[in-house]
Amino acid sequence: MTDPKTFLISIFNAAVAAADPEKTIRNHLPAKPKGRTIVIGAGKGSAQMAAAFEKVWDGPIDGLVVTRYGYGAKCERIEIIEAAHPVPDAAGLEASRRLLEKVRGLTSDDLVVALISGGGSALLPSPAAGLTLADEIAVNEALLASGAPIAAMNTIRKHVSTIKGGRLAAAAHPARVVSLVVSDIPGDNPALVASGPTVPDIGSRADALASIAVYGMKLPASVMAHIQSPAADAPRPDDPRFAGNEVHLTASAGVSLEAAAAEARRQGIEAVILSDAIEGEAREVGGVHAAIAREVATRSRPFAKPVLILSGGETTVTLRAKGKGGRNSEFLLAFALGIDGVDSIHALAADTDGIDGSENNAGAFADGSTVSRMRAVGVDAKAMLAGNNAWTAFNAVGDLFVPGPTGTNVNDLRAILVR
């Protein structure tokens, strides 16, 4: 086997390749319509999905897709707009307005293809009547700091929006809407990806209010008043406007984890998948993974070594300070503390879209020497974890993982090699 970092990068690359948009979209092309084909989309992988769709669709199309700054792709017929993520901005507001305008006035002979991937929630600010972009930004910042799971966050988001929660598809009625979705959601509910602009779900205002209370979120009074009013109600899945629509999951964490496991076995290392839907506080999940890895390293149970332990899903971070980092680096810093001194363990935790949090890294690497190497350069790993400052800690020892934008987004990949 090559060195551990090279091996772990190959595992990450295999997971990302399994979600390659051109391959996955080709398998889910809708029937061609009598009328126009309009392509819309949002998410960190949606520009690459648009480029792939252009390659495999041989009919005329017109379209508009919004993605994160720096995540664009070259398209000939579909316009790509870039906007801010994870905190919305005015460019996203304009993109939402134009997407809604793009699908209005269509007929039952027309087809709307929606290319949806994770990150679309922040990229589609479209505040409800009486609310402002500043209100939606305040909601987003409160959600990101709350530690709430992504399903709860997106239920709240759709109740302050005029585009999320199926409303974009409703605006396209009576055109048929076919949503091609890359899931970054534990459990792969397509209605929760990007807060479901074209796919409604059953989450209610009552559910949103319950989550706001449980996670102690402080939202603007105008937002609370809106969510408490019937005006916030989102369309239900049984709304007749959605009757002829289709939803296809084109890529997911489960498929990518299987591909990662297959690549490990190809290189002679047995692989096990814990779950593709792990949620919870990042540092706590990191501690549990460290305990499992340590048990394998010292007692060869519950898995015989050598082995690659894989997991996916989306952890959360409750902000306690204003450090730099993301959920993968925070997971890994807690993991590094848990395996300190065990020299046979090597790990990579990374977001498959190429970005962990707001910096330019997807995640980081750790091994049994990580904490001592940090100490040698004057970095206290425990203090950095307490201050939500994992990026700074891993940057100090040169262990950030920076692959750049990958063109897809199937959630987090955690790969732990025990030799």
Side-chain angles (χ1 to χ4, degrees), residues 196-325:
T198 57
V199 186
D201 83 314
I202 60 173
S204 65
R205 281 193 294 123
D207 296 326
L209 289 166
S211 292
I212 291 167
V214 166
Y215 293 96
M217 299 179 200
K218 304 298 184 187
L219 302 182
S222 55
V223 170
M224 291 302 298
H226 177 74
I227 296 177
Q228 288 165 345
S229 75
D233 286 330
R236 305 283 292 180
D238 59 0
D239 188 309
R241 290 175 293 179
F242 306 126
N245 294 351
E246 299 174 22
V247 182
H248 300 282
L249 198 67
T250 65
S252 68
V255 171
S256 287
L257 285 172
E258 291 289 355
E263 175 60 22
R265 295 180 187 120
R266 189 189 70 78
Q267 296 190 44
I269 301 293
E270 184 50 51
V272 295
I273 298 172
L274 299 181
S275 170
D276 66 358
I278 291 177
E279 297 181 273
E281 192 71 24
R283 63 183 64 193
E284 294 172 4
V285 176
V288 172
H289 279 62
I292 294 170
R294 213 170 47 240
E295 189 76 6
V296 174
T298 57
R299 295 176 178 166
S300 212
R301 68 181 193 193
F303 316 115
K305 59 184 180 183
V307 66
L308 180 70
I309 303 168
L310 295 164
S311 76
E314 183 168 341
T315 61
T316 51
V317 174
T318 302
L319 290 178
R320 298 161 171 85
K322 294 190 178 294
K324 293 172 72 173

Side-chain angles (χ1 to χ4, degrees), residues 362-384:
F365 299 95
D367 58 38
S369 70
T370 295
V371 173
S372 61
R373 288 187 288 114
M374 288 178 178
R375 191 180 305 117
V377 295
V379 171
D380 182 334
K382 285 185 178 178
M384 289 290 180

